């Protein structure tokens, strides 16, 4: 072996003597020294030739066996070795092309995806996309699309959840701390939490019982397979500034869950809710999935702010896309267009807020449980101003409590004469204005400390903006006093009727709605008929 055929031929042709030929063959054989010694000692040419031939046969058999074993080992290791070899070659080629880092990222992505707890359907889709990514060149546009998709998959909380501990006393304390008034709303929320607590307690008792009996039932599931303790979807309806958004935050705090808020004001496209298909340039998941990623748990408190401000356009109706999200029977398999695989939203606690009920589509309204937020009374506004607004404005404007106080009647003056609203936003702005003007006086050395009275408020804020109607001292013919209610609160109004010569028609002045106009005409009809 290892000798060219021509050289071998020349070597053999140059030897005529059998004894020399046997010696030459023996020289090239890999034999132990003792056997070679025996061959040298043999004087008979024929005998020596026979011994050399036996040695050659033995050597050939050894070589055959060796090649056979090597072939078997090669076939067993071949596939793996080949893959390793190809991978190494691929690495070397990528190194030359400067693509080395990209593939390291793919490996890291693979590890992260393998660590996720996915269902069979989800796992099959993810594996398919990962294989496509490995086959795609990092320079192609498709590569970035696939990689972004797989990164979204790794960042979603498929099985992470916040542990829910419901302590009703603590929840009540938190709600009282954060909000004054709203007693009906607080009662409804505490009822909701109590029901949830009972559901969770029963589910954990069932689980213990199953474990004790050695059963394999799924804890916390009803007979039909739906999750027990899955509460209603709450809809907070009320005028602006009454604390709808902030009370949702308090609910999250009292449940010990993460809080996510998305504003739906002005969302006009169905893709805002459900995401774009991955074929589009710049496609991304919808706001629901984005919110879930932000929360990093699959059971956050999810606030859908301003549900009544959803717009409808030629791109589709986002409120229809919300129907699936807000239906506890369907949202366990919510499919975002971008992900293309189901994500379970059944453990999310959805809370929606709205200012006007009549602007919410019927089917959407039907899926939610309404909680009405009325406006605050003057007494409640006074307490809110003293407990929350004044201290906050003092902090923001660097004024201490010793330097500036407001008497109750001064705060009431601001409420009655400078604001007209159901909530307390305008009130906070007016209080802030007073505090800033006081801060300027203190900074300018004109005053050390101020304990504001109604007169100070008038001096600081200028003339009153709001003039509530006052009841007349005495009754007047042709003037009736009426009471009316708006979300801003109640008030009185005077309805005056004048008689003049003419053809007996009725003229209604002012900006009246259809119902009010109808009332006027009905009154006239009654008067004429009787």
């Amino acid at each position: 072996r290892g000798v060219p055929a021509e050289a071998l031929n020349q070597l053999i042709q140059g030897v005529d003597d059998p004894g020399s030929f046997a010696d030459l063959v023996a020289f090239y054989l890999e034999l132990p020294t003792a056997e070679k010694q025996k061959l040298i000692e043999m004087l008979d040419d024929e005998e020596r030739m026979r011994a050399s031939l036996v040695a050659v046969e033995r050597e050939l058999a050894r070589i055959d066996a060796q090649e056979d074993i090597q072939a078997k080992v090669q076939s067993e290791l071949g596939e793996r070795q080949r893959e390793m070899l190809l991978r190494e070659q691929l690495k070397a080629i990528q190194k030359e092309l400067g693509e080395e880092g990209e593939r390291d990222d793919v490996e890291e992505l693979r590890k992260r995806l393998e660590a996720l707890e996915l269902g069979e359907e989800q796992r099959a889709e993810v594996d398919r996309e990962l294989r496509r990514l490995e086959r795609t060149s990092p320079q192609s546009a498709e590569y970035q699309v696939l990689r972004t998709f797989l990164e979204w998959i790794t960042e979603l909380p498929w099985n992470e959840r916040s542990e829910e501990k419901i302590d009703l006393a603590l929840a009540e304390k938190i709600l009282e701390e954060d909000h004054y008034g709203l007693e009906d709303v607080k009662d409804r929320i505490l009822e909701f939490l109590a029901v949830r607590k009972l559901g969770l307690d029963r589910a954990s008792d069932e689980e213990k019982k199953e474990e004790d009996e050695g059963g394999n039932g799924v804890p916390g599931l009803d007979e039909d397979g739906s999750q027990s303790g899955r509460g209603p979807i709450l809809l907070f309806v009320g005028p602006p500034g009454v604390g709808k958004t902030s009370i949702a935050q308090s609910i999250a705090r009292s449940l010990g869950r993460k809080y996510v808020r998305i504003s739906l004001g002005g969302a006009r496209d169905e893709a805002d809710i459900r995401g774009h298909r991955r074929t589009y340039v710049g496609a991304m998941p919808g706001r629901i999935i984005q919110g879930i990623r932000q929360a990093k748990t699959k059971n956050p408190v999810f606030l859908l702010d301003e549900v009544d401000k959803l717009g409808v356009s030629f791109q589709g109706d986002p409120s229809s896309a919300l129907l699936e999200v807000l239906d506890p029977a369907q949202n366990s398999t919510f499919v975002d267009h971008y992900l293309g695989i189901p994500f379970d939203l059944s453990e999310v606690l959805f809370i929606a807020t709205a200012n006007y009920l009549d602007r919410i589509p019927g089917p959407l309204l039907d899926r939610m449980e309404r909680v009405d937020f009325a406006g605050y009374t003057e007494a409640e506004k006074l307490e809110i101003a003293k407990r929350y607004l004044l201290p906050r404005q003092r902090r923001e404007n660097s004024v201490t409590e010793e330097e500036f106080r407001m008497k109750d009647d001064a705060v009431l003056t601001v409420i009655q004469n400078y604001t007209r609203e159901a909530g307390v936003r305008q009130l906070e702005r007016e209080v802030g204005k007073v505090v800033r003007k006081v801060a300027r006086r203190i900074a300018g050395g004109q005053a050390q400390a101020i304990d504001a009275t109604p007169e100070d408020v008038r001096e600081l804020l200028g003339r009153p903006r709001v003039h509530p109607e006052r009841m007349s001292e005495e009754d007047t013919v042709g003037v009736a006093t009426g009471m009316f209610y708006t979300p801003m609160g109640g008030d009185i109004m005077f309805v005056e009727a004048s008689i003049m010569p003419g053809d007996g028609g009725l003229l209604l002045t002012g900006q009246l709605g259809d119902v009010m106009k109808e009332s006027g005409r009905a009154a006239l009809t009654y008067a004429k008929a009787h």
Side-chain angles (χ1 to χ4, degrees):
R1 281 181 305 171
V3 182
E6 295 84 20
L8 205 61
N9 273 339
Q10 278 179 353
L11 200 67
I12 293 168
Q13 279 165 10
V15 182
D16 297 330
D17 182 42
S20 303
F21 183 67
D23 286 349
L24 185 70
V25 170
F27 171 72
Y28 280 106
L29 287 177
E30 290 178 22
L31 292 175
T33 313
E35 286 198 23
K36 285 191 176 182
Q37 181 68 33
K38 274 183 193 171
L39 282 172
I40 289 172
E41 287 172 5
M42 281 180 192
L43 297 174
D44 183 31
D45 283 353
E46 192 180 335
E47 206 176 320
R48 202 180 330 155
M49 283 283 277
R50 278 182 201 288
S52 297
L53 188 62
V54 168
V56 167
E57 291 287 347
R58 200 183 298 137
E59 182 73 4
L60 283 172
R62 187 179 69 79
I63 288 169
D64 276 354
Q66 202 174 353
E67 280 178 357
D68 205 31
I69 290 166
Q70 209 159 354
K72 280 180 185 166
V73 170
Q74 197 74 31
S75 70
E76 281 175 25
L77 289 177
E79 281 305 307
R80 206 170 296 169
Q81 198 109 13
R82 183 165 166 273
E83 195 178 321
M84 268 174 60
L85 191 70
L86 287 172
R87 279 196 189 283
E88 287 304 318
Q89 285 176 342
L90 189 64
K91 270 186 191 171
I93 292 166
Q94 281 162 356
K95 200 169 184 180
E96 287 298 313
L97 292 172
E99 295 174 3
E100 197 180 6
E102 300 283 355
R103 293 295 152 181
D104 290 349
D105 289 355
V106 173
E107 277 307 310
E108 189 194 329
L109 203 55
R110 178 201 291 281
K111 283 177 193 156
R112 275 160 60 193
L113 288 166
E114 281 169 2
L116 295 176
E117 294 177 40
L118 299 174
E120 275 179 46
E121 184 188 346
Q122 296 153 337
R123 176 63 68 194
E125 171 74 14
V126 166
D127 286 349
R128 196 175 78 228
E129 295 296 315
L130 187 61
R131 283 198 297 277
R132 277 180 65 196
L133 182 73
E134 284 171 340
R135 288 198 303 269
T136 310
S137 155
Q139 265 68 45
S140 75
E142 180 76 358
Y143 181 85
Q144 212 49 50
V145 172
L146 286 167
R147 190 168 149 191
T148 309
F149 165 71
L150 290 170
E151 278 175 355
W152 265 97
I153 297 286
T154 60
E155 286 167 9
L156 286 175
W158 295 95
N159 265 318
E160 289 87 43
R161 47 172 70 75
S162 315
E163 196 180 336
E164 206 170 358
K165 293 191 185 77
I166 301 177
D167 180 342
L168 289 175
L170 177 69
E172 191 167 356
K173 183 166 166 272
I174 287 173
L175 288 173
E176 287 299 335
E177 269 175 22
D178 293 352
H179 297 85
Y180 180 82
L182 301 176
E183 296 309 324
D184 300 351
V185 176
K186 285 178 188 167
D187 285 347
R188 176 66 194 87
I189 287 162
L190 288 167
E191 285 162 18
F192 165 76
L193 295 179
V195 170
R196 188 136 190 102
K197 181 179 169 62
L198 282 176
L200 286 168
D201 292 350
R202 301 273 150 82
S204 62
D205 291 348
E206 286 291 320
E207 193 179 344
K208 279 178 193 155
K209 197 167 154 193
E210 286 282 349
E211 279 175 12
D212 294 344
E213 291 170 6
N216 58 355
V218 182
L221 292 186
D222 298 335
E223 284 169 24
D224 63 350
S226 63
Q227 188 187 358
S228 60
R230 184 197 290 156
I233 286 153
L234 301 175
L235 169 66
F236 294 164
V237 188
V242 291
K244 299 186 294 295
T245 306
S246 58
I247 210 158
Q249 230 164 335
S250 301
I251 293 173
R253 207 151 69 90
S254 57
L255 280 171
R257 290 195 190 190
K258 289 280 198 316
Y259 168 75
V260 184
R261 172 185 164 272
I262 62 168
S263 177
L264 296 175
R268 294 182 315 171
D269 191 350
E270 185 204 352
D272 273 352
I273 308 295
R274 255 193 221 201
H276 310 82
R277 300 197 182 280
R278 292 204 299 280
T279 46
Y280 295 115
V281 175
M284 61 197 294
R287 305 232 196 136
I288 303 292
I289 293 291
Q290 286 181 33
I292 294 288
R293 179 176 81 157
Q294 185 188 333
K296 296 189 176 63
T297 65
K298 65 183 290 189
N299 63 342
V301 171
F302 206 120
L303 181 71
L304 304 166
D305 221 354
E306 315 284 7
V307 179
D308 55 335
K309 313 286 189 306
L310 282 169
V312 177
S313 72
F314 61 90
Q315 286 123 323
D317 181 0
S319 65
S320 305
L322 270 182
L323 295 178
E324 183 192 359
V325 176
L326 297 180
D327 190 336
Q330 297 172 22
N331 66 10
S332 56
T333 54
F334 171 72
V335 178
D336 186 276
H337 288 328
Y338 182 84
L339 297 183
I341 51 179
F343 189 88
D344 182 6
L345 293 177
S346 60
E347 292 180 49
V348 178
L349 169 54
F350 285 105
I351 297 175
T353 73
N355 296 135
Y356 304 102
L357 260 189
D358 51 356
R359 293 187 194 167
I360 302 173
L364 195 56
L365 193 57
D366 185 48
R367 282 167 163 73
M368 301 186 278
E369 184 162 328
R370 177 173 146 198
V371 179
D372 282 310
F373 280 62
Y376 294 109
T377 62
E378 283 183 5
E380 285 172 336
K381 284 184 183 177
L382 174 65
E383 280 302 318
I384 291 167
K386 280 160 59 179
R387 291 189 192 189
Y388 306 102
L389 309 184
L390 195 53
R392 185 158 65 212
Q393 288 301 325
R394 275 201 290 248
R395 264 199 317 279
E396 285 178 14
N397 295 298
S398 308
V399 174
T400 64
E401 196 177 341
E402 290 72 37
E403 288 171 329
F404 178 63
R405 286 195 182 86
M406 273 181 99
K407 290 190 162 65
D408 285 7
D409 50 359
V411 179
L412 272 173
T413 303
V414 176
I415 293 167
Q416 289 166 351
N417 297 343
Y418 294 89
T419 65
R420 180 172 174 74
E421 56 172 354
V424 288
R425 285 203 185 117
Q426 184 65 31
L427 175 58
E428 181 162 15
R429 279 195 285 271
E430 295 299 329
V431 168
K433 201 184 280 185
V434 172
V435 177
R436 281 195 302 278
K437 289 183 184 299
V438 168
R440 182 179 167 190
R441 289 191 178 184
I442 291 168
Q446 294 163 331
Q448 253 73 48
I450 293 178
D451 193 357
T453 61
E455 289 72 31
D456 294 332
V457 168
R458 284 201 190 88
E459 188 190 333
L460 291 165
L461 290 182
R463 62 189 179 75
R465 316 251 171 77
V466 179
H467 302 281
E469 295 279 9
R470 304 210 172 277
M471 197 175 74
S472 305
E473 296 296 319
E474 61 220 26
D475 291 341
T476 316
V477 174
V479 178
T481 310
M483 288 193 292
F484 69 91
Y485 164 78
T486 68
M488 309 296 173
D491 208 341
I492 59 170
M493 63 178 170
F494 299 107
V495 182
E496 190 172 344
S498 299
I499 299 176
M500 52 196 163
D503 56 0
L506 173 69
L507 186 69
L508 297 166
T509 59
Q511 287 186 321
L512 298 179
D514 291 341
V515 177
M516 292 285 275
K517 286 177 186 168
E518 196 180 330
S519 301
R521 292 196 189 100
L524 178 66
T525 309
Y526 181 84
K528 280 184 173 178
H530 294 79

